[in-house]
Amino acid sequence: MAATASRAAPGNSATAPPATCARCGEPFAGPEDRRAQLRAPDLCRACHLDPRARSLPLETEIGKSWVIRCAKTLLRLITSPSACFRVVEEPVSHARILAFLATLRLPLWLLALGWAGIAGLLADGPGPLKRPSILVELLAAASPGPGDAPLGAQTADVLRLWLLLLVPVGLPMLYFFGGVLAHMGMALTGGARRSIGATMRAVGLALAPSLTLVAISDLLVVGVGVEPEIWIVLLGVAALLGAVLLALALARTHSTSLIRGLLVAGLPAVLFASIMIGRGLLEYYRLPFMPAPEIESYAPYPIR
């Protein structure tokens, strides 16, 4: 019985995966040493490493200063983005990527939140809203009656505050949904060679420089109150940088062409840009490079 079980069937001998690396011929040290190739024999971990790849300090310099690792990783993502995504260690540590994004995004968010809170405490009472939202005016123009406009103004003010407070919740949601959209795009345009975790890693790291610019814009908009022209230029640079890095990240992660990576990157890039534009428009009473509309239906609160 043992001899029969150990004897391989004639039809299975040709399909059984080899136990040695196809490049160096050495046996695999274990399942974690084996790197499966889509259209080629399996390689070991050492042979699979691309000589053009550069490891990220975030993932390799374990035990060193976290702030220094984050700064070096951000610099490497900007200076050599193509080399940062050629090798993906799986399973992906999503907690480490999210902690990296939070380190870049949340300190300036806390500063903006504190700045706005101190300004509110120093103000003499609530008074009129200083920056009625242009979105409220557009909705008020389409409302059936003038009585809806004050309620819309208060709603916009509350929504503006809640969206600012929920930035720590929105960060992992952007990471998750952006990765899902990108992986769906890869799967529907020829197949994804890596897991959805690798796609989420690519999206999160690619958006890291853009999220840093968004954090700076939050501080300028909420704290300083800069003009919408400065905000839209800064947001445009963040969206363009994010789209380019997303294309490179997805193309290198899934070992595909840059054209395909650019097409697939459109989904998470539009998601990122639309969220940031929507938040910004709630903060301004006029559109960038356009005169302020006449505010007739707007009323200060509290409304009695």
Short mmCIF file of all heavy atoms in Angstrom, two decimals, residues 203-236:
data_model
loop_
_atom_site.label_atom_id
_atom_site.label_comp_id
_atom_site.label_asym_id
_atom_site.label_seq_id
_atom_site.Cartn_x
_atom_site.Cartn_y
_atom_site.Cartn_z
N VAL A 203 -1.15 51.27 -3.69
CA VAL A 203 -1.98 52.48 -3.66
C VAL A 203 -1.63 53.35 -2.46
O VAL A 203 -1.50 54.58 -2.58
CB VAL A 203 -3.47 52.08 -3.65
CG1 VAL A 203 -4.35 53.30 -3.39
CG2 VAL A 203 -3.86 51.44 -4.97
N GLY A 204 -1.47 52.74 -1.29
CA GLY A 204 -1.17 53.51 -0.11
C GLY A 204 0.17 54.23 -0.20
O GLY A 204 0.26 55.43 0.11
N LEU A 205 1.21 53.53 -0.64
CA LEU A 205 2.52 54.16 -0.75
C LEU A 205 2.55 55.20 -1.86
O LEU A 205 3.23 56.22 -1.74
CB LEU A 205 3.58 53.08 -1.00
CG LEU A 205 3.86 52.13 0.17
CD1 LEU A 205 4.87 51.06 -0.23
CD2 LEU A 205 4.34 52.88 1.40
N ALA A 206 1.83 54.95 -2.95
CA ALA A 206 1.82 55.92 -4.05
C ALA A 206 1.12 57.21 -3.67
O ALA A 206 1.48 58.29 -4.17
CB ALA A 206 1.15 55.29 -5.27
N LEU A 207 0.13 57.14 -2.79
CA LEU A 207 -0.59 58.34 -2.37
C LEU A 207 0.08 59.06 -1.20
O LEU A 207 -0.42 60.12 -0.78
CB LEU A 207 -2.02 57.97 -1.98
CG LEU A 207 -2.97 57.58 -3.12
CD1 LEU A 207 -4.33 57.22 -2.57
CD2 LEU A 207 -3.08 58.70 -4.15
N ALA A 208 1.16 58.52 -0.68
CA ALA A 208 1.80 59.13 0.48
C ALA A 208 2.29 60.56 0.20
O ALA A 208 1.99 61.47 1.00
CB ALA A 208 2.96 58.25 0.96
N PRO A 209 3.01 60.85 -0.89
CA PRO A 209 3.40 62.25 -1.13
C PRO A 209 2.20 63.17 -1.33
O PRO A 209 2.21 64.31 -0.88
CB PRO A 209 4.26 62.16 -2.39
CG PRO A 209 4.75 60.75 -2.43
CD PRO A 209 3.64 59.94 -1.88
N SER A 210 1.15 62.67 -2.01
CA SER A 210 -0.04 63.50 -2.23
C SER A 210 -0.76 63.79 -0.92
O SER A 210 -1.26 64.90 -0.71
CB SER A 210 -0.98 62.80 -3.21
OG SER A 210 -0.36 62.61 -4.46
N LEU A 211 -0.83 62.80 -0.04
CA LEU A 211 -1.47 63.03 1.26
C LEU A 211 -0.69 64.04 2.10
O LEU A 211 -1.27 64.76 2.90
CB LEU A 211 -1.61 61.71 2.00
CG LEU A 211 -2.67 60.75 1.46
CD1 LEU A 211 -2.60 59.41 2.19
CD2 LEU A 211 -4.06 61.35 1.61
N THR A 212 0.62 64.09 1.91
CA THR A 212 1.41 65.10 2.60
C THR A 212 1.05 66.50 2.12
O THR A 212 0.90 67.43 2.91
CB THR A 212 2.91 64.84 2.39
OG1 THR A 212 3.23 63.49 2.78
CG2 THR A 212 3.75 65.81 3.19
N LEU A 213 0.87 66.65 0.79
CA LEU A 213 0.43 67.94 0.25
C LEU A 213 -0.98 68.30 0.71
O LEU A 213 -1.28 69.47 0.96
CB LEU A 213 0.51 67.91 -1.28
CG LEU A 213 1.90 67.83 -1.90
CD1 LEU A 213 1.80 67.75 -3.41
CD2 LEU A 213 2.73 69.05 -1.50
N VAL A 214 -1.84 67.29 0.82
CA VAL A 214 -3.19 67.54 1.32
C VAL A 214 -3.16 68.01 2.77
O VAL A 214 -3.93 68.89 3.18
CB VAL A 214 -4.05 66.28 1.15
CG1 VAL A 214 -5.38 66.41 1.90
CG2 VAL A 214 -4.32 66.01 -0.32
N ALA A 215 -2.28 67.41 3.57
CA ALA A 215 -2.15 67.85 4.96
C ALA A 215 -1.70 69.30 5.04
O ALA A 215 -2.19 70.07 5.88
CB ALA A 215 -1.17 66.94 5.69
N ILE A 216 -0.79 69.70 4.15
CA ILE A 216 -0.35 71.10 4.11
C ILE A 216 -1.50 72.00 3.69
O ILE A 216 -1.71 73.09 4.25
CB ILE A 216 0.86 71.25 3.17
CG1 ILE A 216 2.05 70.45 3.70
CG2 ILE A 216 1.23 72.71 3.00
CD1 ILE A 216 3.24 70.41 2.76
N SER A 217 -2.28 71.57 2.71
CA SER A 217 -3.41 72.38 2.25
C SER A 217 -4.48 72.51 3.33
O SER A 217 -5.11 73.57 3.46
CB SER A 217 -4.01 71.78 0.98
OG SER A 217 -4.70 70.57 1.27
N ASP A 218 -4.70 71.46 4.12
CA ASP A 218 -5.65 71.55 5.24
C ASP A 218 -5.22 72.63 6.24
O ASP A 218 -6.06 73.41 6.71
CB ASP A 218 -5.75 70.20 5.95
CG ASP A 218 -6.84 69.32 5.37
OD1 ASP A 218 -7.52 69.77 4.43
OD2 ASP A 218 -7.00 68.19 5.85
N LEU A 219 -3.95 72.65 6.53
CA LEU A 219 -3.45 73.66 7.46
C LEU A 219 -3.62 75.07 6.90
O LEU A 219 -3.99 76.00 7.61
CB LEU A 219 -1.97 73.38 7.77
CG LEU A 219 -1.29 74.33 8.76
CD1 LEU A 219 -1.97 74.28 10.11
CD2 LEU A 219 0.19 73.99 8.88
N LEU A 220 -3.37 75.22 5.60
CA LEU A 220 -3.51 76.53 4.98
C LEU A 220 -4.96 76.97 4.87
O LEU A 220 -5.28 78.14 5.07
CB LEU A 220 -2.86 76.51 3.59
CG LEU A 220 -1.35 76.30 3.54
CD1 LEU A 220 -0.86 76.25 2.11
CD2 LEU A 220 -0.62 77.39 4.32
N VAL A 221 -5.85 76.02 4.57
CA VAL A 221 -7.26 76.37 4.37
C VAL A 221 -7.97 76.58 5.69
O VAL A 221 -8.64 77.59 5.91
CB VAL A 221 -7.96 75.27 3.54
CG1 VAL A 221 -9.46 75.51 3.50
CG2 VAL A 221 -7.42 75.24 2.12
N VAL A 222 -7.86 75.60 6.60
CA VAL A 222 -8.58 75.67 7.87
C VAL A 222 -7.94 76.66 8.83
O VAL A 222 -8.64 77.42 9.52
CB VAL A 222 -8.66 74.26 8.50
CG1 VAL A 222 -9.37 74.32 9.85
CG2 VAL A 222 -9.38 73.31 7.57
N GLY A 223 -6.61 76.66 8.89
CA GLY A 223 -5.94 77.52 9.85
C GLY A 223 -5.71 78.93 9.35
O GLY A 223 -6.09 79.92 10.01
N VAL A 224 -5.11 79.06 8.17
CA VAL A 224 -4.74 80.38 7.66
C VAL A 224 -5.86 81.01 6.85
O VAL A 224 -6.02 82.24 6.84
CB VAL A 224 -3.44 80.27 6.82
CG1 VAL A 224 -2.98 81.63 6.34
CG2 VAL A 224 -2.35 79.60 7.64
N GLY A 225 -6.65 80.19 6.15
CA GLY A 225 -7.71 80.72 5.30
C GLY A 225 -7.19 81.30 4.01
O GLY A 225 -7.54 82.43 3.63
N VAL A 226 -6.36 80.54 3.29
CA VAL A 226 -5.80 81.04 2.04
C VAL A 226 -6.87 81.11 0.96
O VAL A 226 -7.96 80.53 1.09
CB VAL A 226 -4.64 80.13 1.57
CG1 VAL A 226 -3.50 80.16 2.55
CG2 VAL A 226 -5.13 78.70 1.35
N GLU A 227 -6.57 81.82 -0.09
CA GLU A 227 -7.51 81.98 -1.20
C GLU A 227 -7.71 80.64 -1.91
O GLU A 227 -6.80 79.78 -1.92
CB GLU A 227 -6.98 83.02 -2.19
CG GLU A 227 -6.88 84.42 -1.60
CD GLU A 227 -8.24 84.95 -1.19
OE1 GLU A 227 -9.23 84.70 -1.92
OE2 GLU A 227 -8.32 85.61 -0.14
N PRO A 228 -8.88 80.46 -2.54
CA PRO A 228 -9.12 79.17 -3.22
C PRO A 228 -8.19 78.91 -4.39
O PRO A 228 -7.99 77.76 -4.77
CB PRO A 228 -10.58 79.30 -3.69
CG PRO A 228 -10.89 80.76 -3.65
CD PRO A 228 -10.05 81.34 -2.57
N GLU A 229 -7.59 79.96 -4.98
CA GLU A 229 -6.65 79.73 -6.08
C GLU A 229 -5.41 78.98 -5.60
O GLU A 229 -4.91 78.09 -6.29
CB GLU A 229 -6.25 81.07 -6.70
CG GLU A 229 -7.33 81.75 -7.51
CD GLU A 229 -8.37 82.44 -6.65
OE1 GLU A 229 -8.10 82.63 -5.42
OE2 GLU A 229 -9.43 82.81 -7.17
N ILE A 230 -4.91 79.34 -4.43
CA ILE A 230 -3.74 78.64 -3.88
C ILE A 230 -4.11 77.20 -3.55
O ILE A 230 -3.35 76.26 -3.81
CB ILE A 230 -3.22 79.37 -2.64
CG1 ILE A 230 -2.80 80.80 -3.01
CG2 ILE A 230 -2.05 78.61 -2.02
CD1 ILE A 230 -2.34 81.62 -1.82
N TRP A 231 -5.30 77.01 -2.99
CA TRP A 231 -5.74 75.66 -2.63
C TRP A 231 -5.88 74.77 -3.85
O TRP A 231 -5.42 73.62 -3.84
CB TRP A 231 -7.08 75.75 -1.90
CG TRP A 231 -7.83 74.47 -1.87
CD1 TRP A 231 -7.59 73.37 -1.09
CD2 TRP A 231 -8.96 74.12 -2.68
NE1 TRP A 231 -8.49 72.37 -1.36
CE2 TRP A 231 -9.35 72.80 -2.33
CE3 TRP A 231 -9.69 74.79 -3.66
CZ2 TRP A 231 -10.42 72.16 -2.95
CZ3 TRP A 231 -10.77 74.16 -4.27
CH2 TRP A 231 -11.11 72.86 -3.91
N ILE A 232 -6.49 75.27 -4.93
CA ILE A 232 -6.73 74.43 -6.10
C ILE A 232 -5.42 74.09 -6.81
O ILE A 232 -5.27 73.00 -7.37
CB ILE A 232 -7.74 75.10 -7.06
CG1 ILE A 232 -8.31 74.06 -8.03
CG2 ILE A 232 -7.09 76.24 -7.82
CD1 ILE A 232 -9.13 72.99 -7.40
N VAL A 233 -4.45 75.00 -6.79
CA VAL A 233 -3.15 74.70 -7.40
C VAL A 233 -2.44 73.62 -6.60
O VAL A 233 -1.89 72.66 -7.18
CB VAL A 233 -2.30 75.98 -7.49
CG1 VAL A 233 -0.86 75.63 -7.87
CG2 VAL A 233 -2.89 76.94 -8.52
N LEU A 234 -2.46 73.74 -5.29
CA LEU A 234 -1.82 72.73 -4.44
C LEU A 234 -2.51 71.38 -4.58
O LEU A 234 -1.85 70.33 -4.66
CB LEU A 234 -1.84 73.20 -2.99
CG LEU A 234 -0.97 72.42 -1.99
CD1 LEU A 234 0.49 72.46 -2.40
CD2 LEU A 234 -1.14 72.98 -0.59
N LEU A 235 -3.83 71.40 -4.66
CA LEU A 235 -4.57 70.14 -4.83
C LEU A 235 -4.33 69.55 -6.21
O LEU A 235 -4.26 68.32 -6.37
CB LEU A 235 -6.06 70.39 -4.60
CG LEU A 235 -6.95 69.14 -4.61
CD1 LEU A 235 -6.52 68.18 -3.50
CD2 LEU A 235 -8.41 69.52 -4.44
N GLY A 236 -4.21 70.39 -7.24
CA GLY A 236 -3.91 69.88 -8.58
C GLY A 236 -2.55 69.20 -8.65
O GLY A 236 -2.41 68.16 -9.30
#
